[in-house]
Structure formats: C-alpha cells, structure tokens
Amino acid sequence: MISAVLSIIIVNLLYKLYAKLIGADVMFFSTKKKLGAYVLLWVLLFSTTGI
C-alpha cells in the first residue's frame, strides 16, 4: 500500500516538473496515460521494495 501512495506522489511531481520544463502553466494529460504511469511505477516499487 505504501508503494501505491509513493507512486501517486512521484508521478504527480514528475508531471508538474515536466510542465515547468516545457513552460506550460496548465497542462491537460490523458487520464489513461497518468493511470498507466501510476500502475507501472507502483509495480516497479512493489517488486523492488516489497511494501
């Protein structure tokens, strides 16, 4: 469960950083892509840390 929360936090921070880097004030991302990023990062964190 901890890895799921961490993945949400990390993905949100990375999306904000990406928006800053490209100079966008408001960025609209595909919900499916963001959800996919959450799941992918969660699987990676869960498989490496086990929490």
Side-chain angles (χ1 to χ4, degrees):
M1 191 64 177
I2 294 172
S3 58
V5 173
L6 284 175
S7 69
I8 291 172
I9 292 169
I10 292 170
V11 168
N12 285 334
L13 288 174
L14 290 176
Y15 269 98
K16 286 180 186 179
L17 178 65
Y18 176 70
K20 261 187 196 178
L21 287 175
I22 65 171
D25 292 332
V26 177
M27 201 69 182
F28 295 100
F29 294 102
S30 169
T31 305
K32 289 181 183 178
K33 286 183 182 179
K34 201 167 185 181
L35 184 60
Y38 289 148
V39 172
L40 179 67
L41 189 58
W42 173 71
V43 167
L44 288 173
L45 286 174
F46 188 74
S47 65
T48 56
T49 61
I51 19 181

